[in-house]
Amino acid sequence: DTLWDLAIAEVEKRENPNDDGKRVEVWEKSILFMGNKNGGKTTIILRCLEREEISKPTLALEYTFGRRARRHNTPKDIAHFWELGGGTSLLELIRIPISSNNIRSFAVVLVLDLSKPNELWTTMEKLLQVTRNHVNKILTKLEKTNPELATEIKQRMWNNLQRDHPDYELVDPFPIPLVIIGSKYDIFHEFDSEMRKIISKTLRFVSHYYGASLVFTSKSEALLLKARVLINHLAFGYDKSKSVSVDHSKPLFIPAGLDSLSQIGPPPASDSDIGKMRANTPLELWKKVFQKMFPPKSFCDLQDTKDPAQDLQYVEYEVDIMRAQKKQ
């Protein structure tokens, strides 16, 4: 046994002193948070784990975990929280947390900064594309090594949509559970109502198309609570909320599978404009309409990154002395 195995066995023994060999299965889930730089990912994670810490900028890929007991005197379920920092600049790190060992219990939370509509589509597209490609590679390998599991994961993608849903043939669900969070609703709320409507409709379409849940949040406790409901469902299997809010003048809250293309309506552009846009898929059409309204700004997530070696939160006396000596 490795040192880790012994440590795990020791912890389990302490937590269940009278289990008489009857083991209660521990629920273990993993969630990767990604999205705009400075979009509020760390704040959301800390609120989900009920930690009163001040959030610091995330360096590359960070890990933390939470534990909850389902009942008194039962072993605690574990949720692993990974957070990808740097916006879209460190995409290759997505390969680290998502592997064939945990793909069955993995979910993704995409946090989009509603106050930056010009960066919204590019960030969303890049992050979801790279994640999807990586997950599909894992599923292709699993088809050879564990076909039952690969089939189970592929069938589960469609679980949120009833077979009799009118859009069943028109959507393309994400291969693993996905929650899209629109952060900084307090700033977004000050936008012109037409702008808000276009952003809200577009995010509703994208979420519905990918079979994802959608929620708008800010630092207000009531809105953070709604985001926590969706994340706790992914992390600890808590009940899903059945409430829905699709009013564009209020924060959106739409659990997966409870929206429809007929409710969302067509892309917000005139028929003549739509006629001129060449698009092969509905997603491409929405992208063109959205980017006509909010032209994508070329931005580099790395340009304003401070050197972590100068950051006070990573001070380490011996290492820093050696670095100074080397520099000298």
Side-chain angles (χ1 to χ4, degrees):
D1 284 6
T2 67
L3 201 54
W4 286 113
D5 296 328
L6 295 169
I8 291 165
E10 177 64 27
V11 169
E12 280 176 359
K13 204 164 88 186
R14 280 187 209 162
E15 286 183 348
N16 326 311
N18 311 318
D19 70 353
D20 299 328
K22 289 199 292 288
R23 292 231 17 232
V24 181
E25 199 184 345
V26 172
W27 167 294
E28 208 169 322
K29 296 276 178 175
S30 303
I31 301 177
L32 172 64
F33 285 76
M34 54 190 187
N36 289 84
K37 197 173 175 168
N38 304 324
K41 300 181 288 294
T42 311
T43 306
I44 293 167
I45 292 174
L46 291 174
R47 289 306 301 126
C48 281
L49 297 173
E50 295 171 17
R51 289 191 194 152
E52 298 296 327
E53 296 168 29
I54 294 162
S55 58
K56 300 180 182 129
T58 300
L59 178 74
L61 185 67
E62 295 202 356
Y63 168 82
T64 185
F65 66 94
R67 309 180 78 184
R68 298 268 189 287
R70 267 174 279 187
R71 291 183 305 281
H72 186 57
N73 272 348
T74 57
K76 289 180 175 175
D77 295 328
I78 303 164
H80 307 280
F81 288 84
W82 294 88
E83 184 188 352
L84 180 72
T88 56
S89 60
L90 300 165
L91 289 170
E92 64 279 8
L93 294 180
I94 284 171
R95 299 198 306 266
I96 295 170
I98 311 179
S99 70
S100 51
N101 298 331
N102 63 10
I103 188 80
R104 188 183 188 174
S105 56
F106 212 97
V108 169
V109 174
L110 176 66
V111 180
L112 297 172
D113 186 338
L114 295 173
S115 69
K116 296 178 182 166
N118 300 77
E119 294 177 16
L120 197 144
W121 192 283
T122 319
T123 302
M124 172 176 76
E125 189 175 56
K126 278 186 182 173
L127 288 167
L128 290 182
Q129 228 166 13
V130 171
T131 309
R132 184 168 215 156
N133 292 344
H134 177 59
V135 170
N136 285 341
K137 274 184 197 160
I138 292 175
L139 289 177
T140 309
K141 277 187 193 159
L142 273 180
E143 277 168 359
K144 293 172 188 153
T145 56
N146 189 344
E148 291 92 16
L149 180 57
T151 310
E152 181 200 317
I153 291 168
K154 285 183 176 172
Q155 282 172 343
R156 205 180 54 190
M157 286 160 50
W158 293 93
N159 281 0
N160 289 323
L161 218 56
Q162 303 300 325
R163 274 201 175 276
D164 55 359
H165 194 290
D167 307 332
Y168 196 80
E169 299 293 320
L170 303 168
V171 296
D172 182 16
F174 205 67
I176 51 179
L178 173 66
V179 169
I180 296 177
I181 296 180
S183 66
K184 305 198 181 172
Y185 179 78
D186 44 343
I187 302 172
F188 173 75
H189 190 57
E190 305 297 319
F191 284 8
D192 164 69
S193 72
E194 200 49 41
M195 276 172 76
R196 286 207 314 265
K197 191 174 174 186
I198 291 166
I199 296 169
S200 297
K201 274 184 81 159
T202 304
L203 284 178
R204 276 180 69 185
F205 172 79
V206 170
S207 300
H208 184 57
Y209 185 76
Y210 284 135
S213 298
L214 175 67
V215 58
F216 283 3
T217 185
S218 70
K219 285 185 177 165
S220 103
E221 205 52 48
L223 288 186
L224 273 169
L225 198 65
K226 292 201 156 190
R228 269 177 67 186
V229 166
L230 291 175
I231 294 166
N232 278 333
H233 170 68
L234 295 178
F236 301 107
Y238 289 8
D239 287 345
K240 259 201 289 199
S241 173
K242 289 281 187 284
S243 72
V244 176
S245 167
V246 293
D247 182 349
H248 296 136
S249 60
K250 297 189 179 116
L252 298 182
F253 181 82
I254 312 167
L258 299 184
D259 211 342
S260 70
L261 295 176
S262 57
Q263 281 179 293
I264 297 166
S270 67
D271 291 347
S272 62
D273 274 356
I274 286 180
K276 288 177 202 157
M277 290 175 183
R278 296 230 171 113
N280 298 325
T281 62
L283 190 68
E284 215 175 299
L285 180 63
W286 278 84
K287 175 183 177 176
K288 288 188 170 172
V289 171
F290 186 81
Q291 292 194 331
K292 192 174 179 208
M293 288 293 304
F294 303 104
K297 269 202 300 221
S298 59
F299 60 95
C300 172
D301 282 320
L302 275 177
Q303 63 195 14
D304 55 347
T305 306
K306 294 202 293 285
D307 176 4
Q310 308 302 323
D311 193 323
L312 293 177
Q313 68 169 312
Y314 302 113
V315 166
E316 268 189 65
Y317 182 70
E318 284 89 350
V319 177
D320 294 341
I321 282 183
M322 292 299 286
R323 277 181 62 94
Q325 214 174 330
K326 188 176 177 197
K327 248 185 179 163
Q328 202 179 338

